[in-house]
Structure formats: structure tokens, C-alpha cells
Amino acid sequence: MVLLAAIRAVASRRAANGILMRVLVCAGGTGGGIYPALAAVKALQAQGVADEDILWLGTKGEMEETLVPRAGLRLETISGGPIVGVPWSTRARSAVKLARGIGAASGHIQRFQPNVMFMTGGYVAVPVAVAARHHKVPIVTYLPDVEPGSSIRFVVPMARRIACTTDGSRAYVPAEKVVVTGYPVRPDIRAAGQLTQEEALARFDLAPGRPTLFVFGGSRGARNINRALMAALPQLLAEAQVIHVSGTLTWPEVEANAATLPTDLRAYYRPYPYLHDEMGPAFRAADLVLARAGASMLGECPAFGLPSILVPLTFAWRYQKVNADYLTTRGAAVQLTDETLADSLWPTVRKLLFDSEKLALMSAAAAALDKPNAATELARVILAEATPDEGAASPLAQEETSC
């Protein structure tokens, strides 16, 4: 609590004094890192950081090339590639790209002269963090998941401060660097909480009177979830209605399957490859969510008080399982596995959707985890750690000493 008070004091003083700050943002690869960074940037702008004082470094060919310019932000790309969960030949090529990326990131830093670097993960963060450290730019890391991934683990020793979604992250990173902010849900998503459920359903041409399941598997999609859902649709649509965001990879298969449904069932099914502006209304329309256990589930379902069925992805490392365990042990979710999904999806969905008492208990448990001011708190951490003069001591450290 002392640390959070110090952060608020430094950030508020800077906002009041109109101190100019240049923020280097590094987040890329998947929506799990990009979306919370976008929410934090929005909060930084609300606290006085100008658009021209924000530079986003990402990787060419990844999601950030679409999402960041769409948000009206300046994006520069450097070379990079995955190291974890790929063949050795790919790792070798990626290592060369990442080494080159250090030099490219260094050039951007020299030109932009940031006061702070803010990162959320993704392999692009490694060369940028190395370059930032070389130029004595303070680093603030945000850990979206409970357990850090490989790039964040690499950067942790260099970071001045590590903002976390949950206090469960204290088991994985140095406690003295941790401040728990919560997950910064995008403002456009959170704003949908002002809709009634009937209004949200109307956005999808659905009506109240049937329980609604919202299914998604991340920005690229989840093949196992999509296929298990498609197999269960005849039973599911006889009793409920479904909003289904398949992701882009398996959309042709999902679209073809939808065309085979009988007309009376198709009336209760809304498949999409991807949703941008309507993700918030989809959450608000739902009574239950079926999804992977990416970091967004730690923030978005609690924001709407939504119970969830989670199917954690198990390759690369166990971060989704840790996220799922966090929500499950707090009564906000139940878990299924890819191996049993085909047989267990429909019975589990049906059992929960038509048990209003159980849904109410899970909904209350999810809502209790919501931190509605997370984006603002994260922006304050970033501003508080920024150093106005190159090489100067952390102003937050000075404030903590005075406390």
C-alpha cells in the first residue's frame, strides 16, 4: 500500500506540473500482450501524454501492424522471431534476427530519447529491453498472466518495476519490484458494461429468453475448441444461443459448418472470424464464456461478472494452466482439457447454463476479482518510474524513501 501511494503521488505531481514524458512501448505478437498495452496507452493519454510522445516498437508481420496504427499510434518495426516452442532451426534464425533487433532498437531509442520503456511481453521485447538498458532508459514491465513468459523472465532483472494482474505473480518475480494493478481492460470493452443484456443481444440480432454462450479462442483461434463446439452445435442450439469468434485460422471450416445447420438452429448461431468493436457487447450479451485461459480472461470476465469454462493451452509453458487455476480456485471458472473436450463440452455447458444458482455464485466470484481502475494505476506506474534526465535516480525510489 505504501508503494502504491508513492506511485500515485509521483504520477499526480508530474501530471499537475505538466512534465513532458516520452514513452517507448514494446508489445507484440498476440493480442495477449498488445491489448493491455493499448489500454495502458489510452490511460497515459488521459493523463496528459501526447500522441507524438509515444512510440511503439513491434515486429513486422505481426498483429501490432494492424492494431497499433488502428489506434492512431506511431509504430516502428524491428526484426525478431520466436525462441520458445519452435524447432531448433527456427530458434537459430530467430536468434540472428533478435541480435540484429538490438541494433535497430538502439537506433530508435537514440532518435526518440524516451524517458521510460513499457513492455508487456512478446519476443520483440528482448532486444528492445537490452537496448533500453544500454541507454539507461528505465524499464517498466507489465505481467498480464499470473506466471511470466520467457521474454518477461529475461527482462525482470533489468526492470525497475513489475506491474502485475494478480498478487499470485509474487511467487514468480522479485517481491520488491511488484505492484499489483489488475488487468487493464480496454475502455471500449469495459464501456459495454453500460448496456443492458437485451441491448447487447440486439447488437447480434439475438433476443432474450434463451441462455447465451460466448465462445472464443484468442486472436488466431483455437482449433480444438472450434471443432468440439461445431460437433455440439445441434444439441446446444436446440436449447441456447451462441456467439462464436473462431479466430482467423479455422474460419473457413467454421463458416462451412454453419452453412450446413438447419435453418431453425442457424437462427440462434452467430459465428465470426474476429470481432473488434463488438467484443464488449459480446461479453455483455453472454451468460457464460467458453475460452482458452489467456491473460485477458483474468480481466475481461471479471469486468462483466461472467462465469467461464476454461480450456488452457498446454504447449510451450504452463502459463494458461496457472491462469485457469487462479480463476478456478476463486470460484469464477471451471476447467476442461483439450483431451476430453469433445466428450465434455456439451454436458458441462448444459449443466452450468441451466443452473441459475451456480451461475450466480460464479458470477459474484468473478465480479469480486474486477479492478476497474487497472489501466489508470498501470499508467501511474509508468509515469512514476520515468526519469526526466538521462541517468537520474528513480523518482519513485526517492518518494519511497521519503515515505
Side-chain angles (χ1 to χ4, degrees), residues 306-308 324-334 352 357-367 369:
L306 268 177
S308 55
D325 288 346
Y326 182 86
L327 291 170
T328 302
T329 58
R330 285 155 181 79
V334 299
L352 288 177
E357 184 176 343
K358 176 67 172 176
L359 276 185
L361 289 173
M362 293 177 68
S363 177
L369 299 175

Side-chain angles (χ1 to χ4, degrees), residues 342-358:
D343 294 327
S344 59
L345 186 149
W346 165 238
T348 305
V349 168
R350 191 177 192 281
K351 182 179 179 181
L352 288 177
L353 265 184
F354 295 95
D355 186 341
S356 58
E357 184 176 343
K358 176 67 172 176

